[in-house]
Amino acid sequence: MLTLPISASLSYADECKLNALFTYPNQTESELDQAITEHRLADLDVDMVIPADCAPSIQRLIRALHQDLVKQRRALSAANERLQGSETSNAQLRETNRKLREECRALKQGKRTSDPIDALQGAFADEREQMDFEIRTAWALRIPACSKADLPLPRWEYGPDFFDWMHALHGFDHGKIVDVIVEILTGLVKRIEGRDLHELRTGTGGEAPVRRTADGDAYWRAALQLNAPGGRRIHFYTRRSDGVVVLSSVRTHDDYRA
C-alpha cells in the first residue's frame, strides 16, 4: 500500500481529512468534513484514519470496530431498502383497496340501476299477477338450484289494503320489497339479523299484546329498512288453517296497525 507522508504538525482530524481526500478525490472537503463529523467512518478506508504511531493492538481494535461499523451500515441499508419496499407495497395495497371500493360502489350502483325486477315491470296488467310474477322470478334468480327443494315457495295472498300501501311508498326500492317477501315466504327471514323479525304488538311497550287476526293468527313484522327515520316494515301472518302466508301491509316503524 502507498504510504502518504503526513506532517507531524497536522492534527488527527486533519490527517483523516487529508488521507480521505487522496482516497476519495471526487468528494468535496465539506462532504468529507460532514462524513467525519457524523462519524460515517464506514464510508472511509480504515487504513486512512488509523494514526501511524498506533500500537498494533489498537490498530487491530480499530479495524475490528470499523468492520462492525461496516456490517451495521450494510444491515441498516438493507433494512432501509426493505422498509422502502414495504412502504411501496403498502401504497400499492392502499391503491388496490381504493380501486376495489370504487368497483364495489359501481357494482352497487349498477345493481340499483339495472335490477332485474325493474326489467319485469309491466309484464301483466293486473298488479296481483304482476307481483306474483316478480316474486316467483326473484325466487328463481336468488335461490340456488340445489336449495330450491329446501326453500320452496308456499302459497301466499295479499291483504285487502296491501297494494294501497305499496302505492303510498313513493319511489321506495320495489326490488327490495320483492326480495324481502321471498325471504318471508321461504323462511330465510328468520336467519337474517337485519330483518329484525318479531311479532307485531299493539303498541311500543314490552307488555303490549301481540296483534292477532280474528282467527287468532299472530301478525309478524320484518324490516325493509334499519337505522332510518320512519323505516319501513312489512306486516304478515301465516294462516294456521291452511298454511297460506298473507302479506298484510307495508308501514313505517312506528305504525303498529296490521
Side-chain angles (χ1 to χ4, degrees), residues 121-168:
Q121 297 302 305
F124 293 88
D126 181 82
E127 59 186 355
R128 291 175 181 265
E129 291 181 352
Q130 176 69 34
M131 181 64 79
D132 288 346
F133 172 59
E134 293 173 7
I135 291 171
R136 290 191 178 92
T137 302
W139 173 81
L141 293 174
R142 180 170 177 180
I143 306 301
C146 60
S147 300
K148 282 184 167 63
D150 297 324
L151 299 171
L153 283 176
R155 292 163 52 199
W156 71 89
E157 295 178 1
Y158 307 100
D161 300 322
F162 180 80
F163 288 98
D164 290 338
W165 284 105
M166 288 280 293
H167 298 157

Side-chain angles (χ1 to χ4, degrees), residues 17-49:
K17 187 188 302 182
L18 181 60
N19 287 322
L21 283 170
F22 278 99
T23 306
Y24 304 100
N26 294 327
Q27 288 186 286
T28 65
E29 185 174 349
S30 62
E31 289 173 338
L32 291 168
D33 280 334
Q34 184 178 4
I36 294 171
T37 301
E38 294 177 356
H39 306 290
R40 290 193 284 110
L41 298 180
D43 296 334
L44 302 176
D45 186 343
V46 66
D47 290 327
M48 293 300 179
V49 297

Side-chain angles (χ1 to χ4, degrees), residues 186-201:
T186 59
L188 285 174
V189 69
K190 300 174 184 177
R191 311 178 194 174
I192 302 174
E193 185 176 352
R195 291 291 168 253
D196 191 30
L197 179 69
H198 59 276
E199 290 180 315
L200 176 66
R201 297 185 178 276

Side-chain angles (χ1 to χ4, degrees), residues 98-110:
R98 183 188 66 79
K99 291 180 179 179
L100 287 174
R101 287 194 296 270
E102 290 180 354
E103 290 176 4
C104 286
R105 284 195 293 268
L107 287 172
K108 290 179 180 178
Q109 182 64 31

Side-chain angles (χ1 to χ4, degrees), residues 172-245:
F172 186 81
D173 187 351
H174 182 75
K176 179 68 171 291
I177 298 173
V178 175
D179 277 343
V180 176
I181 289 175
V182 170
E183 293 168 3
I184 290 170
L185 296 177
T186 59
L188 285 174
V189 69
K190 300 174 184 177
R191 311 178 194 174
I192 302 174
E193 185 176 352
R195 291 291 168 253
D196 191 30
L197 179 69
H198 59 276
E199 290 180 315
L200 176 66
R201 297 185 178 276
T202 57
T204 58
E207 301 300 322
V210 174
R211 189 174 291 281
R212 298 181 181 275
T213 67
D215 294 327
D217 300 320
Y219 280 93
W220 291 79
R221 66 171 4 196
L224 295 170
Q225 297 170 294
L226 285 179
N227 303 320
R232 300 299 197 279
R233 301 291 187 270
I234 184 168
H235 295 176
F236 65 96
Y237 65 91
T238 300
R239 203 160 52 213
R240 289 175 295 174
S241 60
D242 55 10
V244 171
V245 177

